Amino acid sequence: MKNTNKFKALALTAILCFAAQTAKSQLEQSVYLNAGIPTSQFSSNPAIPATQPLMGREYIGTDATMGLGFGYRAGYIFNIGYGEVTPFLNADLFWNQLRSERRDNYATASIKTPQYFNIPLMLGVNYRYGLTDIITLFGELSVGYDIAIITSEGIKDNPLGFYRYKVGGANAWQIGAGSYFGNHFSISIHYYSLGKHTVNYNYDNSMAGTGVDPSYVTSHNPVLRKMGTFNIRLGFHF
């Protein structure tokens, strides 16, 4: 009984301490604009055979160009005496297209072009230290899960074929650094490792007679695509 009472007392003390710290903390919400340069396999520029009109399972998840995105974050700022620490939850949406030369080829053939989307959901911590009344430097690290989406390509009911891609999620992490200017604006650089994604597809049409290697058509073994991006980020905080 005494041990139980001690445990209850300790638990109550911990709750009160947490409540006291939370009362001293400040909620910060942020929205972001991102410009990202793809890295790893995501940015590779494969030499696709002229006889293969589509990216297909062999090449999809590559050949991405600079992308755009936006994000939302919520966190609590704790003053620790020699700077501030902010645990946060973060959600982003990134969009990348194929390189312009590849898109031109699709447009010339009137073929639907695949698009790349990534939705990293992360939990992390931000540390900031004020140099002046205006400039506050910060660094941060977060981990989480990335949801990747690759839209379909090709033409339905056409001999060129049509691919619908299925992409598995992957563990992801992010590291970044930058500066706040005042209380409501920041600029920073971040690296997002979006993980290794499993990519497979449903094949809807026969490509017989198109000169495409039959292995691209009949093989449904998934491939792995490692995705990442270097981002320049503008933040607005309130």
Side-chain angles (χ1 to χ4, degrees), residues 120-131:
L121 307 173
M122 297 196 176
L123 174 66
V125 63
N126 170 294
Y127 172 76
R128 65 189 76 174
Y129 185 83
L131 289 183

Side-chain angles (χ1 to χ4, degrees), residues 32-150:
Y32 298 100
L33 297 177
N34 293 278
I37 301 173
T39 65
S40 194
Q41 289 176 301
F42 201 27
S43 65
S44 62
N45 186 11
I48 299 177
T51 55
Q52 183 176 349
L54 305 177
M55 296 286 285
R57 185 188 68 89
E58 186 75 8
Y59 300 107
I60 200 67
T62 67
D63 212 26
T65 190
M66 179 176 285
L68 300 173
F70 61 88
Y72 170 79
R73 171 181 294 185
Y76 276 98
I77 303 172
F78 294 89
N79 190 321
I80 58 175
Y82 44 91
E84 295 174 332
V85 172
T86 307
F88 62 81
L89 291 170
N90 197 102
D92 287 290
L93 172 64
F94 302 145
W95 166 63
N96 294 84
Q97 299 187 88
L98 297 181
R99 297 178 194 272
S100 59
E101 307 85 48
R102 196 82 64 194
R103 296 200 309 271
D104 290 344
N105 292 338
Y106 276 75
T108 299
S110 298
I111 299 173
K112 182 179 179 182
T113 308
Q115 309 281 332
Y116 299 138
F117 296 91
N118 292 88
I119 307 173
L121 307 173
M122 297 196 176
L123 174 66
V125 63
N126 170 294
Y127 172 76
R128 65 189 76 174
Y129 185 83
L131 289 183
T132 69
D133 291 339
I134 300 297
I135 298 175
T136 300
L137 301 182
F138 75 87
E140 65 180 46
L141 175 68
S142 59
V143 296
Y145 191 77
D146 180 58
I147 301 169
I149 299 169
I150 301 176

Side-chain angles (χ1 to χ4, degrees), residues 2 13-14 46 49 119 126-127 151 171 201-202 204 214 216 220 224 236 238:
K2 290 182 178 180
T13 301
I119 307 173
N126 170 294
Y127 172 76
T151 63
N171 295 327
Y201 67 90
N202 290 334
D204 291 347
Y216 299 142
H220 288 258
L224 286 176
F236 304 90
F238 50 93

